[in-house]
Structure formats: structure tokens, C-alpha cells
Amino acid sequence: MALTLLASAIHAVAPYVPPGLVLSVAACFIVGGKYTTFWRNEFIGTLLMVSFTFSAGKWVGADSQNVAWLSHAIGVIAADYIGGGQHVNPAVSVSMWSLGKCDYTEMFVRIAGQMGGGLVAFPIFHLLSETLGWVPFGGPDFDKEADEEGVGAAFNELFATMLLLFLIYAVNWEINFGKYHYWIKQTLTALGIRYLIEMFPASGPAMNPMLGTTWAVFSADENIFPTETSHYVVYWIGACLGSLLASVLYSIYSGNTFFGKTLPIGPIKSKPAAKRSGSVPWDESSKKKK
């Protein structure tokens, strides 16, 4: 009897549960829940990112490109600030893993959280749009008739994602804007993302495998993951290759390791001048004199 009731409940709920969501949630608890915080923050951060950035040009600024750009910029900053600065992008997580900024398990859990957030976000905000009579969100896609194997769109994603990662490295690690560093670097990131969206339209672009796939799941009539190999070539292989290419070039520039290995070329970036032996910082020497 109990099993029958459970089976009936599962069959009743299953049509409303996005495919893959159960596996996403399951990843939250691996290694004894050590990475649960990363999963939760990525999940929430992705919900915020989709809400604040996809509404630009749909819910806000539909009749004005300038207003749409401004609302998109505000959305990028707000999603990052409220969400706590998560990756919200598998390609970014892959890059951080290759550069040694996180281990493999953390990367895996972050991507699972991102996918869960995206799978939930699009149905929720579509329901909100229908309820309030707002313009529904759109999503990234490519012309499957003109580019059946997705090669052109994959190169589009590769270069767009590579440029996005260069921007992320520059404003987060290489340039210090002083007192207002966070606000300036987030504004530049937002403007850069919007510019890349306008300049690389062949694949959307997504510049984010999670967005490409979770949108495809939501927009499919059968509510299933894409079955075309070309989808994964474009939004996963293209984007992740772009992020890895950006990572190796950044390692050559900065001297950072790539997958734990020091590259035989580089660094191009000059190292800070070494302090003289026995010297102390000015403030420390001042303290000794007092």
C-alpha cells in the first residue's frame, strides 16, 4: 500500500521536475557534504543571474537598447553582489580548476549547482511571465539547418568564451581600481558580457554551457536534454575549449601553473622587484624606532 502511494506520488510530481535536477541535488552531498556550501551558492547565484540578466530587454528596456544594456549591467552586478561572487558558469569553473584555483570535486559540485539553478530558473520565470503578462525570456540557440554539425557555432562559442575569460582575469587579478575596485570591475565585466553578446550572435552566444543546455531543456517540447550531438559540440566543447585556451595563455603570461604543471614558456609578466636581504617594510622599521 505504502509503495503504491509512493509510486503514485512520484508519477504525479515527475512531469513538473526538470530532468537532471535529482542528480544535481545528489551532488550537493558528496564527500560528506564538504562542498554543500559551494553547491548552494552556485544554485542561488544562477537563479539570481538568470533573473537579473535575462530580464534585460524583455521585462526591462524592451523598447530601448540603452535601457536594456543598463539593466543588464545592473543585473550582472546585482546577481554577483547578492549571490556572493559565484562562478555561475561551467566554463569558468573549468578554467579555475585548470589554474589550480579549485580542485576537481569542487569544480564538479559547482557545475552541478549551476545546472540545478538553471533547470529550475527558466520554468519559474516563464510561469511568472505568463502570470503577470510579461514578455517571456529567450535563450541561446544556433541555426541547425545552416550549421548542421555546429562547427561554426562552436568556434563562435570558443572565441566568445575565451575573450570573456580574458576579461575576468584582467579585472579580477591584474588590475586594481583602488577604493571602488569591486564596482568598477563588475561594471566592466557587465559591459564586456553585453558587448560579446552583440559581437558573437551565431550561437546566441551563451558563453556558458549551463545556459545553453538548461534553456534547451526548457524550450524542448518533450522536456528532455538535447539529443543532438551538435548541441554539446557548441555549448560544452566549444565553450570549455575556449576557457582552457584562455587559461593556458594566461599561464604563459603570468607564470601560473596549468593543471599543476609549470609551462615551458613564460612568464611574460614581470615579477615584482625582490626586497633586499635583511630589509623590513617601512611601517615595521618605523615601529622599531619609536
Side-chain angles (χ1 to χ4, degrees):
M1 180 66 177
L3 183 60
T4 302
L5 291 174
L6 179 61
S8 298
I10 291 173
H11 281 290
V13 172
Y16 303 100
V17 178
L21 183 60
V22 172
L23 293 177
S24 169
V25 174
C28 175
F29 304 102
I30 62 175
V31 197
K34 178 181 177 181
Y35 298 94
T36 297
T37 299
F38 293 114
W39 187 95
R40 182 181 66 243
N41 291 345
E42 292 289 350
F43 182 89
I44 295 172
T46 299
L47 281 171
L48 292 170
M49 184 265 287
V50 172
S51 171
F52 289 159
T53 61
F54 276 67
S55 57
K58 299 293 185 181
W59 296 354
V60 181
D63 300 320
S64 171
Q65 186 180 56
N66 291 335
V67 174
W69 275 56
L70 178 61
S71 64
H72 182 270
I74 293 172
V76 170
I77 296 169
D80 182 85
Y81 186 78
I82 298 172
Q86 305 310 312
H87 296 170
V88 297
N89 186 335
V92 173
S93 297
V94 168
S95 175
M96 296 301 109
W97 171 50
S98 72
L99 294 173
K101 307 300 182 183
C102 67
D103 60 33
Y104 177 84
T105 308
E106 180 183 328
M107 178 201 69
F108 177 82
V109 173
R110 282 183 179 274
I111 292 175
Q114 295 156 14
M115 290 298 296
L119 288 168
V120 169
F122 285 112
I124 287 177
F125 295 121
H126 182 74
L127 178 62
L128 187 61
S129 297
E130 286 191 332
T131 302
L132 299 177
W134 294 347
V135 179
F137 288 176
D141 200 358
F142 67 99
D143 189 340
K144 297 179 180 64
E145 293 184 2
D147 188 11
E148 185 175 348
E149 296 183 351
V151 176
F155 274 107
N156 191 81
E157 281 294 300
L158 186 153
F159 286 114
T161 305
M162 181 180 68
L163 293 174
L164 173 62
L165 266 298
F166 285 157
L167 175 62
I168 290 172
Y169 303 152
V171 300
N172 285 277
W173 299 338
E174 298 299 322
I175 306 172
N176 189 324
F177 297 104
K179 181 179 179 181
Y180 300 103
H181 174 77
Y182 177 81
W183 302 106
I184 294 173
K185 66 110 171 174
Q186 283 305 118
T187 301
L188 291 175
T189 301
L191 292 174
I193 291 172
R194 193 69 194 185
Y195 178 77
L196 291 172
I197 290 173
E198 298 293 336
M199 294 301 295
F200 292 89
S203 57
M207 299 179 288
N208 186 330
M210 175 274 295
L211 290 177
T213 296
T214 56
W215 168 254
V217 170
F218 167 72
S219 59
D221 294 334
E222 300 86 1
N223 194 34
I224 59 174
F225 276 84
T227 57
E228 307 93 347
T229 303
S230 59
H231 170 88
Y232 301 97
V233 169
V234 173
Y235 292 112
W236 285 87
I237 295 177
C240 289
L241 283 178
S243 74
L244 290 175
L245 181 57
S247 298
V248 74
L249 291 175
Y250 180 75
S251 295
I252 292 171
Y253 165 75
S254 67
N256 198 91
T257 58
F258 183 67
F259 287 115
K261 305 294 183 181
T262 300
L263 299 179
I265 52 176
I268 298 172
K269 179 182 178 181
S270 59
K271 295 182 179 180
K275 295 177 182 177
R276 291 179 297 172
S277 177
S279 65
V280 294
W282 180 85
D283 56 338
E284 291 296 326
S285 61
S286 299
K287 290 177 184 177
K288 292 183 178 181
K289 291 177 182 177
K290 291 181 180 179

